[in-house]
Amino acid sequence: MLAYTMRRLLMLIPVLLGMTLITFSIVHLIPGNPAQVILGETATQSAIDDLERQMGLTEPYLVQYGVYLADVFQGDLGQSLRTRGSITNEIGPRIAATFELTFFAMLWAVFVGINAGIISAWRQNSWFDFLAMFFALVGVSMPIFWLALMEQWLFAQELGWLPAYGRQSSVDPIEPITYFFVIDSILHMEFDRLVTVLRHLVLPAIALGTIPMAIIARMTRSSMLEVMKSDYVRTVRAKGSGQFIVIYKHALRNALIPVLTVIGLQTGVLLGGAILTETIFSWPGIGRYVYEGINYRDYPVIQSGILVVAFLFVIINLIVDLLYAFIDPRIKY
Amino acid sequence: MNTKDDKQHSEQLVSNPAKLKQQQVEAEEMEVISPWKDTLKQLRKNRLAIAGFIIIAFFIVVGLVAPFLTPYTFSEQDPVNRLQSPNMDHWLGTDHLGRDIFTRIAHGARISLMVGFFAVTGALLFGTLFGIIAGYYGRWIDMLISRIFDILLAFPSILLAIAVVAILGASLQNALIAIAIINIPIFGRLVRSKVISLREEEFILAAKAQGMKSGRILRHHILPNSLAPIIVQGTLGFGTAILEAAALGFLGLGAQPPTPEWGKMLADSRDFIQLAPWTLIFPGVSIMLVVLGFNLIGDGLRDALDPKMKN
C-alpha cells in the first residue's frame, strides 16, 4: 500500500509539469505578439512594451517557463491585469466558494443517484426503474447551463421560491472566517444566516449535480444488478435476511466500488461545470473568476484559474485512487 | 441405423433437386451473415436506438433544408417584431433583435452537427493513430504517449478546451479544434488498451510467424478488431462534442455573432428570460434532443456490439 502510494505520487510529477506547460502556453505562446493580443488592437506601442516588460515576454521561452514554474512553486500566481491585485490572494476565497458549491452538488448527486440506482436495480423493469433510467438518460443529454437557466427562471423568477443570484444576502453579509459560509454561519451561531446561505445553495447545487447524479444512478444500477446475482448475496438471502439488510448491508458495499471511481471522475466534471453554473448564478467562485478573466482578456487570471482547478482535480483523483485500493482488499498493488 | 437414415436422407435430397438447391442457398446465406449484419439486426430490435436514429435523421434533414424552410434568414433583424411569442408567422417566436428563432435553430442544427462530426472525426483519427502506436510498439513511445494522455486528461475537459481557445483565439473553428484535442486522449486510451490485449492473441502471433510486416498486421488485424469500441465511443462522443461546443459558445469562446450557434443563442437571450422564455427554451431543447439521439444510438450500438451483453 505504501509502495503504491509512493508510486502514485511519483507519477504525479510529469502530469503536474505537463499541466504547467499547458497553462504557461496560455499567456506566453499566443500566436503573434501576446502583449498585443492581450491589450487588443487599439493598444499603444508603449502600453505593449510595458506589458512585455512586466510579464517578461521578451525573454527566451525556456527562461520564461523557468520563471513561471518558480513563481507557481512558491505560490505566486502573478498579477491580475484588471484589478492589479495578486491572483493568489484573490483566488483563495473563490476556491472556498467553489468547494462549498461542488460539495453540496456532489452530496445531492450521490444521495439521490445511489438510492435511485439501488431502487432501480431492486425493482428491475418496474415503472420506477423505467422512469429513473429515462430521467438519467435525459439528465446526461442536457446542457448544464441550460438547466441552470431554466431553474433560475422557474424557481427564482416565476415562483420566487429561492434566490437567483449570489451566495448570501448582499445587505446582510457574513463575517468570513473560513470563507465556507455554511461553516462560518455556524461558527458565528447565526442560524437565520445559515438558512439564507443554504437557500442560495439549492439551485446552483442541483443544476451542477444533475449530470453526475444521472451517471451515478446508471452506474449504481448496473453494478448493483451484477452483485445481486452473486453467490454470497444468494447465501445471505438463504440465511433469511430481509431484503433491506441484503441490499444495504451486504450487496451495496461491493456494488459501490466501481461507483466510487465514477464519483471521483465526476468531481472533475463538477469543477469544469462550475464555470458555467457559477456564471449563471453569479456565484463568486473560481469558475466565475475564469469567466470574468475571459471577458476582460485577463489572461493571467484565466491561466491561474485553470491551473488551480486542474490541480484540485488531480488531487481529488489521487485521493479516490488511494481510497479505492484501501477499501477493496481484493486489489493488490 | 444412422447410415440408413443418412442414406434415406440423401435419397430424398436427390429425389428433390429443387429442395437441395434451396438448402444450399440457405447455407450460403448463413455463412455471409457478418458481425456487422448481426449488429444491424440487433440494432433494429432496439426501440430506443431506433428513436435515436429518427431524432438525428430529423435534425440532419432540418439542417440540410434550413434555407428553404422559412422566408427569413438567420441574421435578418426586424426590430418591430422583436420578442414575439410563437405564432403562425414565427413558429418558435422571435428573439430580442426580431430574428426568427425557428430559422436560427434550423441553421444551428447545421453548425452543431458539423462541429460534432469534424471534432469527433479528428479526435477519432488522431486518437486511434496514437493509441495504436502506443499499444503496438510499447516501450518508450508508449510511455511518452500515455503520459501526454495523462496530462490532457488531468484537466476537466471544458477547462482544457478553454485553455486551447485562449491560446488560439475565440472562433467556431478554434472551438472545434479544441473539442477535437480534448477528445483525442479518450479515443487514444481506448484503442491502446484494446491493442495491448489483441497483441497477445494467437492470430497475431501467427501473422508474425508468417512474416507479415507490422504495418500490415496493424491495418488488417489490429485495426478491424478494435473497431467496435471506437464506433461506440465515436457515437457517444458526438453528443459530448455538441454539448462542449454549446458550452464554449455560451462562454463567448465559440461561434461569434451573428452565427446562430445554439449555445451562443442561449447566452444572447439570457437577459430576456422573463420577458420571452421561448428564446431560451427552444435552443436548449434542440441541444438536448440531438445529444439524447446520439446517446440512444451509442447505447444501442454498445449493447449490439458487446458480446457480453448478448442474451
Side-chain angles (χ1 to χ4, degrees):
Chain A
M1 185 71 202
L2 187 70
Y4 173 67
T5 310
M6 288 309 293
R7 207 169 59 220
R8 192 68 182 69
L9 281 172
L10 280 178
M11 268 169 64
L12 274 187
I13 295 172
V15 170
L16 291 177
L17 279 177
M19 267 167 46
T20 54
L21 198 61
I22 289 179
T23 51
F24 166 78
S25 316
I26 294 176
V27 171
H28 300 261
L29 292 188
I30 301 171
N33 182 343
Q36 171 92 60
V37 173
I38 291 170
L39 293 171
E41 296 287 321
T42 53
T44 61
Q45 191 57 44
S46 69
I48 293 175
D49 291 344
D50 278 351
L51 189 68
E52 276 184 340
R53 213 169 315 121
Q54 183 198 333
M55 298 172 64
L57 292 171
T58 45
E59 305 282 336
Y61 284 135
L62 207 61
V63 176
Q64 289 185 36
Y65 180 60
V67 171
Y68 173 67
L69 209 58
D71 283 349
V72 168
F73 200 67
Q74 292 165 24
D76 177 8
L77 295 173
Q79 196 185 27
S80 158
L81 295 176
R82 183 166 65 102
T83 64
R84 302 271 156 205
S86 148
I87 296 178
T88 314
N89 292 341
E90 284 182 4
I91 223 165
R94 289 168 180 274
I95 292 177
T98 297
F99 257 134
E100 195 168 69
L101 177 60
T102 41
F103 175 78
F104 280 94
M106 211 52 193
L107 197 70
W108 140 266
V110 166
F111 181 76
V112 179
I114 288 186
N115 282 295
I118 291 171
I119 299 173
S120 280
W122 180 359
R123 298 255 178 268
Q124 198 191 354
N125 297 327
S126 68
W127 63 268
F128 179 89
D129 181 24
F130 181 77
L131 216 63
M133 287 308 113
F134 177 75
F135 276 116
L137 202 58
V138 173
V140 292
S141 308
M142 228 169 352
I144 171 176
F145 53 95
W146 181 66
L147 176 68
L149 286 167
M150 289 292 119
E151 271 185 7
Q152 197 179 43
W153 168 56
L154 190 63
F155 296 107
Q157 290 168 339
E158 290 293 310
L159 298 170
W161 291 351
L162 291 159
Y165 298 105
R167 283 181 84 182
Q168 57 171 339
S169 163
S170 52
V171 291
D172 181 28
I174 289 168
E175 183 77 28
I177 304 171
T178 61
Y179 285 96
F180 289 88
F181 284 172
V182 172
I183 298 173
D184 287 352
S185 56
I186 294 172
L187 288 178
H188 285 301
M189 304 289 275
E190 295 163 337
F191 293 106
D192 47 336
R193 280 187 178 157
L194 175 65
V195 173
T196 316
V197 170
L198 289 175
R199 278 167 50 87
H200 278 87
L201 266 166
V202 175
L203 290 181
I206 289 180
L208 189 55
T210 297
I211 294 175
M213 180 184 76
I215 294 170
I216 290 170
R218 292 177 77 170
M219 191 70 210
T220 310
R221 178 179 180 270
S222 64
S223 171
M224 216 40 199
L225 283 175
E226 188 128 351
V227 172
M228 298 279 268
K229 271 185 267 172
S230 62
D231 290 344
Y232 85 93
V233 169
R234 198 190 50 202
T235 310
V236 177
R237 279 190 210 280
K239 199 175 76 173
S241 296
Q243 185 73 274
F244 190 82
I245 300 275
V246 172
I247 287 175
Y248 281 88
K249 189 167 172 226
H250 298 277
L252 189 58
R253 281 198 192 173
N254 279 326
L256 276 189
I257 291 168
V259 177
L260 188 71
T261 320
V262 172
I263 292 175
L265 284 174
Q266 288 305 311
T267 310
V269 176
L270 279 190
L271 290 172
I275 291 199
L276 299 157
T277 321
E278 289 178 359
T279 303
I280 288 163
F281 290 101
S282 301
W283 191 267
I286 200 164
R288 189 168 169 80
Y289 193 52
V290 172
Y291 177 72
E292 284 166 359
I294 293 170
N295 278 347
Y296 291 100
R297 303 161 87 89
D298 198 341
Y299 279 77
V301 165
I302 305 176
Q303 178 186 42
S304 305
I306 291 178
L307 183 67
V308 168
V309 175
F311 181 72
L312 293 175
F313 183 37
V314 167
I315 298 302
I316 290 167
N317 274 328
L318 174 72
I319 295 172
V320 170
D321 271 7
L322 295 180
L323 213 60
Y324 196 81
F326 181 71
I327 62 164
D328 191 351
R330 288 173 301 185
I331 299 173
K332 290 264 193 300
Y333 292 99
Chain B
M1 185 74 186
N2 265 342
T3 41
K4 201 181 163 193
D5 267 0
D6 278 351
K7 207 176 171 188
Q8 266 182 354
H9 193 58
S10 54
E11 269 168 15
Q12 241 178 13
L13 289 180
V14 175
S15 65
N16 191 348
K19 199 174 173 188
L20 175 73
K21 203 171 178 194
Q22 193 195 343
Q23 275 177 341
Q24 275 175 344
V25 170
E26 270 173 12
E28 275 166 17
E29 272 179 1
M30 286 291 282
E31 276 163 25
V32 295
I33 289 187
S34 65
W36 300 113
K37 272 193 183 165
D38 190 41
T39 305
L40 205 67
K41 226 171 88 186
Q42 296 261 349
L43 262 186
R44 268 199 221 124
K45 277 189 275 176
N46 188 331
R47 260 183 259 163
L48 285 175
I50 299 281
F53 272 114
I54 293 172
I55 295 173
I56 300 306
F58 172 77
F59 276 97
I60 289 176
V61 171
V62 166
L64 282 176
V65 300
F68 313 107
L69 278 175
T70 57
Y72 314 103
T73 64
F74 64 82
S75 57
E76 185 180 290
Q77 301 186 7
D78 180 8
V80 183
N81 289 318
R82 66 196 290 270
L83 297 178
Q84 277 195 1
S85 56
N87 56 49
M88 287 305 288
D89 290 335
H90 300 282
W91 295 345
L92 301 180
T94 57
D95 69 2
H96 60 288
L97 297 173
R99 296 175 294 195
D100 183 55
I101 293 178
F102 180 73
T103 312
R104 288 178 67 75
I105 286 184
H107 279 88
R110 287 183 163 194
I111 297 170
S112 283
L113 290 171
M114 258 161 52
V115 169
F117 178 78
F118 286 112
V120 168
T121 311
L124 197 149
L125 288 180
F126 284 99
T128 307
L129 183 70
F130 292 131
I132 283 184
I133 292 173
Y136 190 75
Y137 292 103
R139 296 166 199 261
W140 65 270
I141 191 138
D142 179 24
M143 191 68 186
L144 181 73
I145 292 176
S146 294
R147 285 297 83 76
I148 293 175
F149 286 171
D150 282 351
I151 292 165
L152 293 177
L153 289 169
F155 290 87
S157 56
I158 187 75
L159 277 177
L160 186 59
I162 291 175
V164 174
V165 177
I167 297 168
L168 297 177
S171 75
L172 186 63
Q173 190 196 335
N174 290 340
L176 194 155
I177 294 171
I179 295 166
I181 290 176
I182 61 179
N183 282 300
I184 288 175
I186 298 174
F187 286 98
R189 274 206 173 166
L190 193 74
V191 174
R192 177 182 170 270
S193 65
K194 189 77 193 168
V195 170
I196 285 178
S197 67
L198 279 173
R199 204 175 51 185
E200 309 300 324
E201 295 276 342
E202 277 162 2
F203 70 94
I204 300 292
L205 193 70
K208 273 187 193 160
Q210 280 182 336
M212 221 187 237
K213 295 251 166 56
S214 284
R216 201 172 149 80
I217 294 178
L218 284 175
R219 263 180 290 124
H220 291 272
H221 294 294
I222 303 262
L223 192 60
N225 280 297
S226 338
L227 270 183
I230 300 178
I231 290 172
V232 173
Q233 183 56 44
T235 319
L236 294 172
F238 224 114
T240 340
I242 289 173
L243 281 179
E244 279 153 356
L248 286 177
F250 184 77
L251 292 173
L253 291 172
Q256 299 300 315
T259 317
E261 198 272 326
W262 291 340
K264 184 74 187 141
M265 285 172 76
L266 288 173
D268 291 344
S269 303
R270 259 191 79 184
D271 297 335
F272 305 97
I273 189 165
Q274 260 177 306
L275 220 56
W278 56 87
T279 55
L280 282 113
I281 292 175
F282 296 121
V285 169
S286 308
I287 300 173
M288 194 180 75
L289 280 176
V290 171
V291 178
L292 183 69
F294 282 112
N295 283 342
L296 289 173
I297 300 174
D299 281 357
L301 273 173
R302 181 171 46 208
D303 292 352
L305 287 170
D306 188 349
K308 274 185 285 180
M309 302 284 287
K310 271 184 198 162
N311 311 325

